[in-house]
Amino acid sequence: MHTHFGCERWHQAAAFALRYDVFVLEQGISLQNEFDERDTEERNYFVVYEASLAVATIRYQKKDDDTIQPDRFCVRKEYRGKGLGRNLLLLLEDKAMKDGFKYSILSAEKTALSFYQALNYSINSEEYLEDGIVCVEMIKKLSS
């Protein structure tokens, strides 16, 4: 397996295909909600590949000058529970720190709270519905 970071069209297509499988087909989120105005040609993604199959992805998105907002984070169903998501999020956080970000804020599905809490994220909001799924905002102070 290898990980690539960038915004090349082929790379974005792989991220989009995985997001389609996980968020649209598996979770029932509408195409219109999943693929939003933030999916621009310049938007960077981390994607973990096994050969040419995208198995995990996360969108690298700036919230403000101090804050990175990891988004559209998913792992292909048959690859879950192997540490890929954890390693991918830590890789994103490492890049964010190198890029000068001090905080990471994300929208977490309620079913994933323990995953994020194990990585030192804490709940930062009341529950809310996002695309029909119960979520909370979570925050982490990044430190090297």
Side-chain angles (χ1 to χ4, degrees):
M1 283 196 221
H2 68 281
T3 303
H4 181 79
F5 176 76
C7 64
E8 302 89 349
R9 295 308 286 165
W10 60 267
H11 182 63
Q12 287 185 344
F16 291 176
L18 178 56
R19 286 170 48 193
Y20 178 80
D21 287 349
V22 172
F23 294 123
V24 177
L25 297 181
E26 185 183 327
Q27 293 186 341
I29 294 171
S30 75
L31 282 166
Q32 295 80 2
N33 286 335
E34 175 54 29
F35 298 98
D36 60 21
E37 68 282 350
R38 294 185 183 111
D39 286 318
T40 63
E41 289 182 16
E42 309 83 40
R43 185 68 63 205
N44 285 297
Y45 291 84
F46 283 95
V47 179
V48 178
Y49 293 95
E50 183 170 73
S52 60
L53 180 67
V55 297
T57 189
I58 193 167
R59 186 164 67 185
Y60 190 78
Q61 179 171 284
K62 174 181 172 176
K63 182 175 177 73
D64 60 42
D65 289 343
D66 289 329
T67 312
I68 193 72
Q69 184 177 7
D71 196 25
R72 300 304 198 258
F73 180 26
C74 62
V75 177
R76 191 173 294 281
K77 193 173 199 170
E78 56 272 26
Y79 288 84
R80 293 178 195 153
K82 302 175 191 282
L84 287 174
R86 178 185 185 281
N87 292 340
L88 189 57
L89 184 54
L90 291 173
L91 185 65
L92 179 142
E93 290 174 5
D94 186 55
K95 172 153 181 51
M97 282 186 283
K98 288 175 182 163
D99 289 348
F101 294 104
K102 296 177 178 70
Y103 300 95
S104 176
I105 290 182
L106 51 80
S107 179
E109 294 178 13
K110 196 167 178 203
T111 56
L113 288 183
S114 60
F115 170 82
Y116 291 111
Q117 287 168 329
L119 290 168
N120 299 314
Y121 280 82
S122 52
I123 296 172
N124 196 40
S125 76
E126 297 295 318
E127 292 179 3
Y128 56 90
L129 278 182
E130 184 174 299
D131 303 328
I133 296 172
V134 178
C135 295
V136 293
E137 182 180 88
M138 299 190 82
I139 188 168
K140 177 179 182 176
K141 185 174 187 338
L142 301 175
S143 56
S144 38

